[in-house]
Amino acid sequence: MALVVMCGQPCSGKSAAASCLSAALRSSSPDLTVRIIDESSLHLGRNDSYKDMVVEKNLRGVLRSEVDRSVSRDSIIIVDSLNNIKGYRYELWCLARASGVRYCVLFCDTEVDHCREWNSNRQEKGEPAYDSNIFEDLVRRFEKPDRRNRWDSPLFELFPSRDEIVETAPVIAEAVSYLTKKVDSKTRDVKVLQPTIATQTVRTTEANSLYEMDKATQEVVNAIVEAQSCGLGLAVNKISIGPNLPTINLQRSVGLPELRSLRRTFIKLAGQYSLSGPPPPTDADSAKRMFVDYLNREVGA
């Protein structure tokens, strides 16, 4: 259905706003599936996740991957993180577009002094808070959303230091209406992102290829293990995995750890080859044929 990107300075009230929005959405439609994705849901600490640029980049990658797996036309996903870099918000917008769902940004516009005060209060109470040096660094690098950018639009703005954040807040109600309103050909105030043909084809092809490659190679490994176990310790030189498929010719017994290593290497090589050549096969038989050829070269008679 939709992807909602929370945005704001550290300790600006984003989590409270995300919780209110989630509750308001569920109240508007009890059958609605709403999920909040944040650092804590992925067991990631605030200070550990922002202590330097490398781990911060890794954090964004983990969050982006989780959003990519979760976003769908059957649920509303709320990304409750800083989302402080416009390039990263653009990446999230691209995920929404590729999935063909609605998208919006909920910006908690809180003065830095209030954010700093709220962070200090959390430190005094022993609640999760940012170290002072990390807080100041994040404040300095924050890139404010601009509704003129398509990845920052539509933009709903909250002012937590001035107004109380509650489910019935006008901005929350406006966002709920936008996210749940039924859309038809005459609707003009709600935009459902549409995937481009290129994006849709690439995502489908890559997903199918990866799935078929993973499944097919595992079936080959299982067939080898089963054949060798039935041999009661004797060497099994020729293993058939099905009609119209090449025979596996082994010059020795191959243990499961080695088979797993060969399988991982093959999948990695197939992925690297697809970057400069044709994509990996999307059908199981072709994937099995390629894997058997690879095994015969590596451990064949």
Side-chain angles (χ1 to χ4, degrees):
M1 286 186 66
L3 176 62
V4 181
V5 174
M6 304 300 299
C7 182
Q9 296 279 15
C11 293
S12 59
K14 297 183 300 299
S15 295
S19 179
C20 286
L21 177 60
S22 176
L25 285 167
R26 291 190 175 95
S27 298
S28 69
S29 180
D31 298 330
L32 195 61
T33 300
V34 183
R35 183 190 173 197
I36 297 177
I37 296 177
D38 59 5
E39 290 89 345
S40 61
S41 68
L42 301 176
H43 308 289
L44 301 171
R46 295 189 180 190
N47 289 311
D48 290 338
S49 299
Y50 294 100
K51 61 184 180 182
D52 59 51
M53 297 301 294
V54 174
V55 295
E56 183 179 336
K57 183 178 180 180
N58 291 337
L59 167 67
R60 289 197 294 269
V62 171
L63 288 171
R64 182 175 58 248
S65 296
E66 187 63 25
V67 171
D68 195 17
R69 286 191 293 267
S70 304
V71 68
S72 72
R73 299 187 182 186
D74 302 318
S75 61
I76 295 179
I77 303 299
I78 302 174
V79 189
D80 178 20
S81 186
L82 291 177
N83 301 316
N84 55 338
I85 299 175
K86 60 183 179 182
Y88 182 60
R89 294 197 295 271
Y90 172 73
E91 292 179 16
L92 296 176
W93 177 85
C94 288
L95 294 181
R97 181 182 62 175
S99 299
V101 299
R102 305 179 200 193
Y103 173 92
C104 70
V105 174
L106 186 56
F107 174 40
C108 290
D109 191 357
T110 307
E111 292 84 355
V112 173
D113 288 341
H114 282 93
C115 296
R116 189 178 289 109
E117 179 182 351
W118 290 347
N119 187 58
S120 298
N121 291 339
R122 289 181 182 179
Q123 290 176 332
E124 293 173 359
K125 295 178 181 178
E127 298 176 352
Y130 296 93
D131 290 344
S132 297
N133 59 329
I134 293 177
F135 176 88
E136 297 300 334
D137 178 59
L138 292 172
V139 166
R140 179 180 56 81
R141 294 189 289 110
F142 180 75
E143 297 176 352
K144 188 174 180 178
D146 184 344
R147 66 178 73 252
R148 292 174 295 182
N149 299 326
R150 60 186 184 277
W151 56 86
D152 289 334
S153 177
L155 181 65
F156 299 99
E157 295 183 80
L158 282 169
F159 300 91
S161 59
R162 186 188 69 192
D163 305 321
E164 185 179 5
I165 303 177
V166 293
E167 291 181 35
T168 56
V171 176
I172 296 291
E174 187 180 354
V176 169
S177 176
Y178 179 83
L179 295 168
T180 59
K181 184 177 181 178
K182 292 184 178 181
V183 178
D184 55 31
S185 58
K186 298 180 180 178
T187 304
R188 295 291 181 268
D189 57 342
V190 175
K191 183 177 181 180
V192 178
L193 299 179
Q194 297 299 325
T196 62
I197 294 177
T199 302
Q200 195 172 33
T201 301
V202 168
R203 285 173 62 89
T204 302
T205 301
E206 288 178 350
N208 290 344
S209 298
L210 180 61
Y211 174 77
E212 292 297 341
M213 183 75 71
D214 184 77
K215 181 180 177 183
T217 53
Q218 186 60 57
E219 289 178 359
V220 173
V221 168
N222 292 342
I224 296 173
V225 171
E226 183 178 357
Q228 291 184 147
S229 63
C230 291
L232 300 177
L234 300 176
V236 179
N237 296 326
K238 296 183 181 296
I239 302 174
S240 175
I241 58 173
N244 303 319
L245 291 172
T247 301
I248 303 173
N249 301 306
L250 299 179
Q251 63 178 353
R252 58 180 173 81
S253 295
V254 184
L256 182 57
E258 185 177 359
L259 286 171
R260 286 174 173 168
S261 177
L262 288 166
R263 176 173 174 263
R264 287 194 299 268
T265 302
F266 170 76
I267 292 176
K268 182 178 180 180
L269 290 173
Q272 291 175 345
Y273 175 70
S274 68
L275 294 176
S276 57
T282 57
D283 63 285
D285 284 350
S286 296
K288 289 180 181 178
R289 191 173 292 108
M290 288 177 60
F291 187 40
V292 170
D293 290 342
Y294 172 77
L295 290 175
N296 284 338
R297 289 196 305 270
E298 295 296 318
V299 293

